[in-house]
Amino acid sequence: MDDADSWMELAEVEFDLGDFAQSQRAVGKVAKLDPSNPEPWKLLARVYLSQDMFKESIDASEEAVARGSDSPWTFNNLGYAYLVLGKSDDAIREL
């Protein structure tokens, strides 16, 4: 399968099923097939948040923003991860 949209749909289904490893694998395919797309990075941030991997979630959220994401959920997830890590000033900036 060489279609970024199909891989993205698979990544979302795997995430919804709680199979974070498979979701992350599919997200990696999307990122390679469509490097400027912020959507896989937004989902990757959620995958990491779901596993309490807050630093990684911040990195993924920042990649989504760098690729043009202006979704409120991106900033919400970013702020939440900063808050959990005790970085209140950064959390306030993002929220």
Side-chain angles (χ1 to χ4, degrees):
M1 182 167 46
D2 290 331
D3 176 35
D5 291 335
S6 296
W7 278 108
M8 191 66 207
E9 286 180 32
L10 178 62
E12 290 169 351
V13 168
E14 296 292 359
F15 177 83
D16 290 342
L17 293 172
D19 191 340
F20 302 127
Q22 288 298 339
S23 182
Q24 187 174 349
R25 181 179 153 275
V27 162
K29 294 280 190 181
V30 178
K32 286 181 183 175
L33 290 169
D34 189 2
S36 64
N37 186 351
E39 295 303 313
W41 295 99
K42 288 169 41 181
L43 181 56
L44 186 58
R46 291 175 52 211
V47 167
Y48 287 141
L49 275 180
S50 296
Q51 300 176 88
D52 296 336
M53 299 171 67
F54 301 108
K55 172 64 174 112
E56 292 84 352
S57 181
I58 289 168
D59 293 343
S61 293
E62 288 177 346
E63 289 291 338
V65 171
R67 287 167 172 74
S69 176
D70 60 357
S71 166
W73 286 108
T74 301
F75 295 101
N76 181 71
N77 292 340
L78 190 52
Y80 177 73
Y82 277 128
L83 186 63
V84 170
L85 292 177
K87 298 182 177 188
S88 300
D89 291 340
D90 292 326
I92 291 168
R93 182 188 71 238
E94 299 302 337
L95 295 172

